[in-house]
Amino acid sequence: MRALIILTLLAVWVMAAICYESHESMESHEYHNPFLSRRRANDFIQADARLEAFSQERIRERIKAPQERQREICEDYYPCELYAFRHGYAAAYKHYFGKRRTK
C-alpha cells in the first residue's frame, strides 16, 4: 500500500513537471492570437521607400548598359555565343556584329 502511494505521488510530480507552462511562454501575444491584421503587419515598412524602390527597379529594367545589350544580342545568336565562350562577349560581339554594313 505504501509503495502504491509513493508511486502515485511520483507520477503526479512527474506529470506536473512535464506539463508546467512557465510565465515566459505566456508573455508572447502570439500565443493567444498568432495572426496580425494587414495594417499592423505593414506598419514597419515605409510606403515612400517601397514606391521609390519599385520605380528605381523599373528604371533599371528600361535603361540597360550598352555591354548588357550587346551581350543579349550575342546570346541570341548561337555562333556568337560559342565564340563568346572562348574569347569573351565583347570580342564575340565585335566579330559578328561590329562590321555591320547597310546598303
Side-chain angles (χ1 to χ4, degrees):
M1 183 72 177
R2 184 180 228 183
L4 184 61
I5 293 173
I6 293 173
L7 189 60
T8 305
L9 289 174
L10 183 62
V12 168
W13 181 76
V14 168
M15 189 174 73
I18 292 173
C19 297
Y20 174 73
E21 289 192 27
S22 66
H23 177 67
E24 287 82 18
S25 66
M26 299 294 275
E27 284 180 355
S28 175
H29 297 289
E30 295 174 359
Y31 181 80
H32 297 291
N33 188 9
F35 303 105
L36 296 173
S37 69
R38 288 182 184 169
R39 187 167 292 164
R40 283 199 58 216
N42 292 327
D43 279 346
F44 63 94
I45 297 176
Q46 300 295 327
D48 302 338
R50 285 186 295 168
L51 292 175
E52 185 178 332
F54 184 73
S55 65
Q56 288 296 324
E57 182 179 344
R58 294 295 165 236
I59 289 170
R60 270 186 248 116
E61 285 178 1
R62 278 187 277 154
I63 303 172
K64 294 182 180 178
Q67 294 85 3
E68 187 175 354
R69 275 191 251 123
Q70 290 175 358
R71 182 180 179 138
E72 288 176 355
I73 291 169
C74 191
E75 285 176 346
D76 290 338
Y77 186 55
Y78 186 69
C80 182
E81 188 176 15
L82 290 178
Y83 193 87
F85 286 140
R86 178 165 284 201
H87 302 287
Y89 279 100
Y93 183 82
K94 185 187 280 186
H95 179 77
Y96 283 98
F97 302 106
K99 300 174 188 173
R100 282 193 169 176
R101 294 183 196 154
T102 57
K103 290 185 179 183

